[in-house]
Amino acid sequence: MKAAARRADDLRGRENLPPLHGVLIDKTIYLYSIYTGNQSMLAIRLPADVENRLQALAQATGRTKTFYAREAILEYLDDLEDVYLAQQRLADIQAGKTDTVALEEVMKRYGLEG
C-alpha cells in the first residue's frame, strides 16, 4: 500500500488533479478522488450482467454509463424518501400524534369537488 500511496502522491500537482485516495480490497488497490465542488464521485461494484446491460444501454443511446447510474440513483432515492415519509406518517397516525382528513374534505377545501 505504501508504494501505491507514493504513486498517488506522485500524481498530485500534475494537470490540476484532485487529491487521490487509495484503498486496498482483496489484494487490489483502488485509487479514487473526491471532488469537493457541488458534486462528488462514487465508485460502485456491479454484477457483470448489470454492467453489461448498462454498457449496452449507454452505447445504444449515446449517453454515458454515469448518466444512467446517476438517473437510477436519483429516481430510487425519490421513491425511498417517499416510502419512508409515508411510513413515518402512518406511525404518527397509529400513535395518535396526528389526525387524518377525509378525501372528501380535502377536495372540498381546495375546490376540487366534482
Side-chain angles (χ1 to χ4, degrees), residues 87-101:
Q87 289 173 339
Q88 183 58 52
R89 294 300 178 252
L90 178 60
D92 289 346
I93 291 167
Q94 291 172 335
K97 295 179 181 177
T98 190
D99 295 324
T100 60
V101 179

Side-chain angles (χ1 to χ4, degrees), residues 49-109:
D49 62 322
V50 174
E51 169 72 17
N52 292 338
R53 288 173 59 196
L54 187 59
Q55 180 65 39
L57 178 63
Q59 286 178 341
T61 62
R63 295 205 180 251
T64 65
K65 293 186 299 182
T66 299
F67 170 82
Y68 287 112
R70 183 185 310 113
E71 290 298 308
I73 290 169
L74 291 173
E75 182 71 26
Y76 191 69
L77 277 177
D78 286 344
D79 291 346
L80 274 180
E81 290 168 341
D82 289 345
V83 167
Y84 290 134
L85 179 61
Q87 289 173 339
Q88 183 58 52
R89 294 300 178 252
L90 178 60
D92 289 346
I93 291 167
Q94 291 172 335
K97 295 179 181 177
T98 190
D99 295 324
T100 60
V101 179
L103 177 59
E104 294 82 15
E105 176 61 30
V106 172
M107 292 178 69
K108 182 179 177 182
R109 187 179 301 172

Side-chain angles (χ1 to χ4, degrees), residues 12-73:
R12 286 195 181 109
R14 293 186 189 170
E15 301 174 27
N16 297 320
L17 292 174
L20 290 174
H21 304 275
V23 63
L24 178 64
I25 302 173
D26 297 330
K27 299 181 181 178
T28 302
I29 298 170
Y30 295 90
L31 295 176
Y32 61 95
S33 63
I34 299 173
Y35 179 73
T36 57
N38 62 0
Q39 293 184 349
S40 63
M41 188 177 116
L42 170 68
I44 59 172
R45 287 181 169 227
L46 296 172
D49 62 322
V50 174
E51 169 72 17
N52 292 338
R53 288 173 59 196
L54 187 59
Q55 180 65 39
L57 178 63
Q59 286 178 341
T61 62
R63 295 205 180 251
T64 65
K65 293 186 299 182
T66 299
F67 170 82
Y68 287 112
R70 183 185 310 113
E71 290 298 308
I73 290 169

